[in-house]
Amino acid sequence: MSLGKLSLMGTDDKVVIPENLRLPFNRASLSEIRVALNRLQARLGFSDGCGLALRLVLEELVTNSIMHGWGKGAHDDPETGIHVDFHIDDGVLHFRYVDHGSPFDPRSDLPSDSRDEHLDDRPDGQLGWPLILHYCDLLHYAREEGQNRMHLRLREKVLNRD
Amino acid sequence: MECRKENKDGVIVLVVDGAIDHETAAAFEQAVMPSLDEAEAAGTGLVFDMSGVDYMSSVGLRVLMLAAKAAKQKSISVVVAGLQATLAEIFQISRFDKIFTIYDTADAAVAGVRG
């Protein structure tokens, strides 16, 4: 095991974590994430700082899915909502994020980065994805079977924080 | 999240505690906008004392962005004080450290606003 990485059951091999979220497209899902992350933190023993970063990433992803991916108000069927599955690979936390919303490829569909614009020219929002990509690497995106499928990896610097 | 308003030497200080997220951002916004009006009426400025805030997602940042734009229109100063490490990082990622003057403490921020 490498210092600063996660360990589970004494192995560095790929480990699937039995924390599979099935969430509907509604705001109650955001609260469910917080509860699930508390369970995950208790199981994996990562730091509070790491937990806050992971919470931020998942809340931003789910918020985007709810606000932009569905676009027709609340939708209460978790099976056609948002799915999140976690695993550890070489001591690093990965997760697969799937939603059944409108197509959105973050590699090409993000608005231009306006963070360095003058205050008057900055939009009020569009701050979620810069936060997500600060804490995670987006390893893969595909639009398959009516789903946005993403594979993300929490950056090691996040695992190392207090 | 809890917000309480204080008046320090004529400067409005909004002391915020807890998490600013999807559950609390609307209440945060409802506290911020009248505080801007009070600061304008007092002819001074507004200090966000964030020393008790341990989490903020983009919905909270959006409220601060609206506050910064409103403050500019009102020609008043809005500054931030007491950022915890995680929040300071979120400000840096979002370039909010370029929008707001950031002070270590609320007292320093009040002194800064008073000039």
Side-chain angles (χ1 to χ4, degrees):
Chain A
M1 183 187 72
S2 303
L3 280 176
K5 293 184 177 182
L6 295 168
S7 67
L8 194 69
M9 296 183 292
T11 177
D12 282 347
D13 295 335
K14 182 173 176 177
V15 177
V16 176
I17 302 166
E19 186 65 64
N20 306 318
L21 297 175
R22 299 290 179 267
L23 307 167
F25 277 108
N26 63 44
R27 297 176 78 81
S29 295
L30 292 160
S31 301
E32 196 169 330
I33 282 174
R34 196 163 64 241
V35 174
L37 288 177
N38 287 339
R39 286 195 303 266
L40 198 65
Q41 184 171 11
R43 179 176 286 139
L44 300 179
F46 50 69
S47 67
D48 289 343
C50 178
L52 283 175
L54 187 55
R55 175 183 167 189
L56 187 60
V57 166
L58 286 171
E59 286 194 1
E60 298 298 344
L61 285 167
V62 171
T63 298
N64 283 335
S65 292
I66 294 170
M67 290 180 64
H68 307 299
W70 187 245
K72 295 173 185 171
H75 164 54
D76 295 328
D77 182 1
E79 285 310 309
T80 54
I82 299 161
H83 300 172
V84 191
D85 300 293
F86 299 91
H87 69 271
I88 292 175
D89 197 345
D90 192 23
V92 178
L93 186 67
H94 294 236
F95 58 98
R96 294 188 186 280
Y97 184 93
V98 173
D99 77 35
H100 293 69
S102 307
F104 178 77
D105 183 347
R107 299 168 305 179
S108 57
D109 295 342
L110 286 175
S112 59
D113 189 350
S114 58
R115 287 177 295 166
D116 291 318
E117 299 292 328
H118 187 273
L119 175 64
D120 296 337
D121 299 322
R122 288 190 63 164
D124 299 334
Q126 298 180 6
L127 294 164
W129 270 99
L131 294 168
I132 294 165
L133 294 175
H134 182 83
Y135 294 116
C136 283
D137 297 308
L138 176 65
L139 300 180
H140 179 72
Y141 169 85
R143 179 74 183 180
E144 295 172 341
E145 299 176 7
Q147 301 172 342
N148 296 302
R149 295 178 176 174
M150 285 181 261
H151 177 188
L152 297 107
R153 175 180 61 202
L154 204 59
R155 296 189 172 187
E156 272 193 52
K157 67 180 179 185
V158 179
L159 295 174
N160 291 333
R161 60 200 305 154
D162 294 331
Chain B
M1 185 215 62
E2 290 182 7
C3 276
R4 69 176 189 278
K5 206 178 308 180
E6 297 177 355
N7 187 320
K8 289 189 176 178
D9 300 330
V11 177
I12 306 299
V13 180
L14 200 59
V15 184
V16 192
D17 288 311
I20 306 174
D21 60 9
H22 65 283
E23 288 181 350
T24 59
F28 180 49
E29 185 170 353
Q30 285 174 4
V32 168
M33 295 311 166
S35 301
L36 284 167
D37 293 338
E38 282 186 46
E40 182 183 25
T44 54
L46 175 65
V47 172
F48 287 103
D49 180 351
M50 310 290 270
S51 55
V53 177
D54 53 13
Y55 179 85
M56 183 185 289
S57 65
S58 63
V59 291
L61 293 171
R62 177 185 166 278
V63 175
L64 291 178
M65 177 70 82
L66 293 172
K69 289 180 176 178
K72 187 179 177 192
Q73 284 196 330
K74 295 173 184 293
S75 300
I76 60 171
S77 178
V78 175
V79 304
V80 173
L83 294 179
Q84 296 183 21
T86 300
L87 216 56
E89 183 178 58
I90 289 169
F91 265 57
Q92 192 174 24
I93 298 164
S94 307
R95 311 288 194 272
F96 273 39
D97 54 343
K98 309 297 182 198
I99 294 177
F100 295 98
T101 303
I102 298 170
Y103 294 88
D104 288 342
T105 66
D107 286 344
V110 168
V113 168
R114 287 180 59 81

